[in-house]
Amino acid sequence: MRDWMKVKAKLNSYAWSVQTIDILKAELDQVIDRKLDVPLEPGGWWHQFVCPEHHTELVFDPLEADGSTFRCPHGCEWEGEPYRGAWLVFKHQAMARYALQSAAVYAGTGEEIYADLGKRLIVRYAEQFPLYPVHPDAQPWMLKGRAFHQALTEAIWATTLLRGYLLLRDEGVWFDEVDLRKIDRFLHMLESSMTEYHHILSRERGNPENNYTAWLIAALFCIYAVQGETKKLKQLVEQEGGLRHHLTIAVKPDQLEFEGSIYYHVFVLRAYLIAAEMGSRVGEELFSLRGEQGQCMQGMLTVLVRLSDPNGFLPALHDGPYRRAPFAREIAEVAEIGLSIYGDKSYRRLLGHAYRELNGAAGRIGMLEALLYGTGSWDGRNGRAAPGMRNSHMLKSGEIWETGDVIDVQVTREVPRPGDAMQADRDPTAHEAGGIAGGTLNHADGDSPYSFVLPQSGFALLRTNHPQGLQALIDFGPHGGSHGHFDKLNLMIHAGDQPLSPDRGTVPYGSVLKKEWYPHTACHNTVSVGGRSQNPAEGKCMRYESAPNRSYIWVRTDEAYDHGILDRHLIMAEDWLLDWFEVEMDEPAAVDWWFHYVGTGQLHESSDEVQISGSAEPGNEDGHAYVKERSSNVWSRDGIQVDLHIANESGAVAVASFATFEGMVCSRVESLGLADDPSRPMEGIRLHRMDSKARFIVVYRAGNEPISLGWTHTADGDWLHLSDGRTARSFTMTNNGLKERVLDENLV
């Protein structure tokens, strides 16, 4: 067993662990005092634990013995089903967590009362599990569980319970013959159902890449570790639908899970790490396991760091939440294990953010994930990362395009795929060199890398070394399957360490907004056509160039609409971001460009000639009914600047400066907010044009000072001129992307 599971040794080594175990003991004392027991009813589907009015997750108290009234954070109260069944999911998961927590506290203190609590909960579940029916209320598409609607939820719950059992057994806790027979029966039933469902997914349905599969594997590995079944575990590593195969087909070569969702990436990675932990118990080293194209757990952790902001905030790409305590605990767990196994201190950025969300300023202190998996004297309270990068070396491996790359892909061809010449030039097994394929970044703890592209997953992040500057994340990749959104060329911007226009994430799936609003194009910062959402689409990178003080990317999709092409060009400079969007349709159509932002905006026009009154209602289909138009005007001529100043309670955040085009409608809109609380509305801008061609140009700048814009028509094209007061730059659109010329390097 690895050192990171030896709780008692931590108490003698790390100051944070002593306080932690006292806090965890106090929590368990309440469980004991209240005589909490496992529920006799099976759980339902946790996604239905959501307020139908505010669409926020309901409040769960793990110390509540029995739930009958379920409260919304806004004061609503709900009773009955499906809320009761969803509450039971949380309750079963909490009781399994208490079993694991009891084992950890006993391992640190040797106090029998906590061993007895852990034993009691495990044996009670072993007794009760055969009494739960194969769930009669599960939805038809689900693989049915006993203790829950879904076998998936059952697998996750079982891994927690069995990790607690293994830790108690490690510490010499004795189970009598009667208890062992109950546990053996439970394990046999669980193994039978997990094996059957694994076969159904990987063979009968031909869907082995499903995120379910990772958890079925993790649950089976836990069972095999308890049983000492080394042969079965080794077979499930290598067989079709096994761990290595899943790593190969469910994770892209650039190390992101195939659905393009940060939530499901963490979800699958956590299952992998649990499976690897179980492998180590039977003598199999799986933490370094690699897929056929270099996919690995270490790389999956590092790509999370790459996609996070300087404070460890992760974007909610495609389906996924933001502020959920269970999700924050999952991030903490995978990052703690990663830090202990791989020693990469950049993971502290993720940990710092997760612990701030869960635990305020206390960091690791009081956190079960830290006690179980954390090592080192760092207490988790200095996790706020510095936005600058002290080292300037260039990384280039593992199928990520790094700073310094110039990728020029002609209009007639797509980004190179694995197997192309580009792949042959790079060794996907060269993790010793410190590339992303092995997941180790060659930069100091807290540093942020510059721009990069994930070519297979289809995300690009543009940023510079400016500590309070902008960073831009663009989504141009695969749709994402059942967890994808209709959001090709969606742009997400950070200003300094604050989200400016993030992806809103997704509400629990039991909310009607899961289908009616959050996946739709109008919910994102991209373009919709004809008042309808995009098709499930994939885009491609046409050109990518990057250096420490400048990045340019051109991305395209010709699949979003049947008879049109969408092109987005982004240039990230040290002090601003140029966003140039081109739309070309076969026939005239209603084209809408969307920009939703966090904060309060004020529009300022540089000329009285900019606007005339006018309006263009967004319609009611594909989520548009959730968009309210607050004001609307028609721009009267080309080339006038309109500035949107965005601020929050802390002050100015950024300015978005629009270049006007005659006849374009500019509307102030309001829509439902970030998924953690949709009832807090989000402001936005919608630019509308009825034409077969449309052009939208915006320049973003952090702070309160806009970039100056100008527009000229010349014999060699239409030129956009930008000035920050020091340097003037000029851009025009060509068949090969944006072309730039420098006008004057020293204006002042």
Side-chain angles (χ1 to χ4, degrees):
M1 185 177 61
R2 290 181 176 270
D3 291 341
W4 44 263
M5 288 292 288
K6 295 180 180 177
V7 176
K8 194 166 188 178
K10 297 178 189 183
L11 298 180
N12 298 322
S13 303
Y14 312 135
W16 57 264
S17 65
V18 177
Q19 293 173 270
T20 295
I21 207 160
D22 287 342
I23 292 169
L24 295 176
K25 281 174 60 177
E27 291 177 1
L28 293 175
D29 289 343
Q30 294 183 74
V31 176
I32 294 168
D33 290 345
R34 299 184 186 200
K35 297 181 173 60
L36 296 185
D37 196 8
V38 306
L40 301 182
E41 303 165 69
W45 191 35
W46 81 261
H47 281 285
Q48 292 174 316
F49 203 57
V50 60
C51 176
E53 181 175 338
H54 294 96
H55 307 279
T56 51
E57 193 170 314
L58 301 177
V59 177
F60 174 73
D61 177 3
L63 291 171
E64 185 178 18
D66 195 23
S68 58
T69 300
F70 312 102
R71 296 174 299 282
C72 162
H74 294 279
C76 304
E77 293 189 350
W78 306 94
E79 296 181 352
E81 295 296 344
Y83 313 107
R84 167 70 178 176
W87 179 87
L88 282 163
V89 175
F90 285 89
K91 187 62 178 176
H92 283 298
Q93 290 171 331
M95 299 309 291
R97 183 175 172 86
Y98 283 139
L100 178 59
Q101 184 171 331
S102 299
V105 169
Y106 176 71
T109 66
E111 296 180 36
E112 293 290 341
I113 189 173
Y114 303 110
D116 291 343
L117 174 60
K119 279 179 61 177
R120 178 173 67 80
L121 294 176
I122 291 165
V123 173
R124 286 288 294 116
Y125 268 124
E127 292 172 339
Q128 188 61 36
F129 188 76
L131 304 179
Y132 297 133
V134 174
H135 213 300
D137 299 323
Q139 297 183 29
W141 56 269
M142 294 177 176
L143 295 176
K144 297 181 180 181
R146 284 181 173 273
F148 307 90
H149 275 192
Q150 290 198 91
L152 172 64
T153 318
E154 197 148 285
I156 297 167
W157 163 82
T159 61
T160 304
L161 201 65
L162 294 180
R163 288 164 107 185
Y165 174 74
L166 285 165
L167 183 52
L168 286 173
R169 203 169 68 177
D170 291 340
E171 297 300 320
V173 173
W174 180 76
F175 289 78
D176 63 29
E177 289 298 322
V178 174
D179 290 343
L180 287 174
R181 282 196 296 271
K182 295 173 183 176
I183 292 170
D184 286 344
R185 186 184 182 199
F186 166 55
L187 292 174
H188 176 76
M189 294 181 69
L190 192 64
E191 180 183 1
S192 176
S193 63
M194 296 292 112
T195 302
E196 177 187 358
Y197 289 140
H198 182 270
H199 177 81
I200 289 171
L201 274 180
S202 59
R203 300 293 180 86
E204 294 181 14
R205 294 188 182 179
N207 189 207
E209 73 279 6
N210 197 303
N211 57 62
Y212 269 51
T213 310
W215 279 100
L216 298 175
I217 292 169
L220 285 167
F221 274 34
C222 286
I223 294 165
Y224 298 153
V226 171
Q227 297 170 335
E229 288 280 6
T230 303
K231 184 177 179 181
K232 286 184 178 180
L233 188 146
K234 291 174 69 173
Q235 287 175 340
L236 192 49
V237 171
E238 301 297 344
Q239 74 184 57
E240 181 181 354
L243 184 59
R244 190 189 303 276
H245 185 219
H246 195 270
L247 187 59
T248 297
I249 62 176
V251 180
K252 300 285 189 179
D254 56 28
Q255 307 292 346
L256 196 65
E257 197 262 350
F258 80 99
E259 293 163 295
S261 161
I262 294 295
Y263 177 78
Y264 285 101
H265 179 91
V266 172
F267 188 69
V268 168
L269 174 57
R270 181 170 173 245
Y272 287 167
L273 291 169
I274 291 172
E277 175 193 332
M278 296 302 112
S280 67
R281 286 180 167 276
V282 298
E284 288 294 305
E285 174 50 59
L286 299 177
F287 287 103
S288 58
L289 187 72
R290 304 181 73 80
E292 293 178 4
Q293 295 162 310
Q295 301 97 323
C296 60
M297 299 171 212
Q298 190 176 1
M300 292 178 71
L301 274 160
T302 303
V303 82
L304 287 175
V305 178
R306 302 299 302 274
L307 287 168
S308 68
D309 81 352
N311 293 323
F313 173 92
L314 286 164
L317 306 175
H318 296 183
D319 275 357
Y322 279 114
R323 296 170 183 84
R324 286 194 73 238
F327 184 39
R329 285 197 292 264
E330 290 170 10
I331 294 170
E333 181 178 316
V334 301
E336 286 284 19
I337 294 173
L339 186 59
S340 297
I341 298 298
Y342 306 116
D344 189 337
K345 292 183 180 179
S346 71
Y347 304 161
R348 287 182 178 178
R349 187 153 81 234
L350 303 176
L351 276 173
H353 186 273
Y355 285 148
R356 281 193 298 275
E357 186 174 321
L358 288 166
N359 209 24
R364 274 176 162 172
I365 297 170
M367 295 287 98
L368 178 60
E369 288 72 22
L371 188 66
L372 285 169
Y373 314 113
T375 57
S377 58
W378 177 66
D379 64 8
R381 292 190 286 191
N382 61 337
R384 186 170 291 272
M389 183 173 182
R390 292 188 288 272
N391 299 324
S392 60
H393 46 266
M394 305 305 168
L395 306 178
K396 194 170 183 178
S397 63
E399 281 305 292
I400 286 185
W401 297 338
E402 301 287 356
T403 296
D405 286 355
V406 176
I407 307 298
D408 189 355
V409 185
Q410 298 302 319
V411 176
T412 55
R413 63 178 291 239
E414 296 190 8
V415 170
R417 301 295 183 184
D420 288 347
M422 183 179 172
Q423 172 75 7
D425 290 339
R426 300 179 181 182
D427 178 9
T429 65
H431 60 282
E432 294 85 357
I436 187 69
T440 302
L441 292 177
N442 293 330
H443 60 80
D445 180 31
D447 288 339
S448 293
Y450 293 123
S451 303
F452 64 91
V453 177
L454 303 177
Q456 290 83 28
S457 296
F459 294 96
L461 193 147
L462 307 183
R463 56 185 162 198
T464 68
N465 198 34
H466 195 294
Q468 293 302 315
L470 300 172
Q471 73 173 36
L473 180 62
I474 183 85
D475 178 352
F476 64 90
H479 174 65
S482 61
H483 295 298
H485 289 186
F486 311 107
D487 64 349
K488 284 313 97 181
L489 312 192
N490 181 38
L491 176 63
M492 297 149 276
I493 304 174
H494 257 59
D497 60 358
Q498 301 180 71
L500 175 64
S501 59
D503 192 302
R504 289 185 235 211
T506 302
V507 290
Y509 298 168
S511 166
V512 297
L513 297 182
K514 164 62 176 72
K515 293 184 178 180
E516 291 184 2
W517 170 238
Y518 284 96
H520 285 291
T521 305
C523 183
H524 297 83
N525 304 309
T526 184
V527 161
S528 60
V529 177
R532 302 304 301 267
S533 284
Q534 299 173 1
N535 300 322
E538 180 171 0
K540 51 192 171 185
C541 179
M542 308 300 292
R543 186 174 179 86
Y544 169 68
E545 303 172 2
S546 187
N549 63 349
R550 178 189 181 278
S551 300
Y552 168 53
I553 191 166
W554 168 16
V555 289
R556 161 177 290 185
T557 179
D558 55 10
E559 298 179 359
Y561 294 97
D562 293 338
H563 303 288
I565 297 174
L566 311 182
D567 286 292
R568 195 162 208 163
H569 303 258
L570 300 170
I571 293 180
M572 175 70 76
E574 195 70 21
D575 195 36
W576 46 261
L577 170 68
L578 169 59
D579 175 14
W580 188 311
F581 207 124
E582 298 267 330
V583 180
E584 184 171 352
M585 306 299 295
D586 290 350
E587 301 288 342
V591 180
D592 290 306
W593 178 97
W594 301 92
F595 173 61
H596 307 280
Y597 53 87
V598 176
T600 302
Q602 294 291 329
L603 273 177
H604 300 281
E605 295 81 31
S606 60
S607 170
D608 293 335
E609 302 175 19
V610 170
Q611 298 176 353
I612 59 177
S613 61
S615 180
E617 291 293 336
N620 291 306
E621 297 181 290
D622 291 352
H624 289 81
Y626 293 102
V627 180
K628 298 177 181 178
E629 188 175 279
R630 295 307 188 193
S631 64
S632 185
N633 289 282
V634 181
W635 288 338
S636 59
R637 64 186 179 94
D638 293 356
I640 304 298
Q641 180 169 343
V642 175
D643 296 323
L644 175 69
H645 291 258
I646 304 169
N648 60 21
E649 61 275 5
S650 301
V653 177
V655 183
S657 299
F658 300 85
T660 67
F661 294 100
E662 183 180 356
M664 187 172 286
V665 181
C666 175
S667 300
R668 298 288 305 275
V669 297
E670 184 178 278
S671 55
L672 302 178
L674 299 179
D676 53 301
D677 190 354
S679 67
R680 297 180 63 184
M682 203 167 179
E683 293 185 7
I685 296 289
R686 180 175 68 102
L687 302 181
H688 173 85
R689 192 172 195 89
M690 184 72 185
D691 207 335
S692 59
K693 292 185 178 181
R695 171 178 286 172
F696 308 94
I697 298 176
V698 192
V699 180
Y700 311 91
R701 192 184 199 186
N704 195 43
E705 293 297 324
I707 292 288
S708 294
L709 307 184
W711 185 258
T712 58
H713 302 280
T714 68
D716 62 343
D718 298 335
W719 289 84
L720 174 73
H721 311 292
L722 308 182
S723 173
D724 61 4
R726 300 182 306 276
T727 302
R729 301 171 75 167
S730 189
F731 300 89
T732 191
M733 184 59 66
T734 74
N735 290 334
N736 291 315
L738 278 176
K739 175 183 176 182
E740 177 185 2
R741 71 179 177 212
V742 177
L743 299 180
D744 190 342
E745 294 291 350
N746 296 289
L747 294 182
V748 294

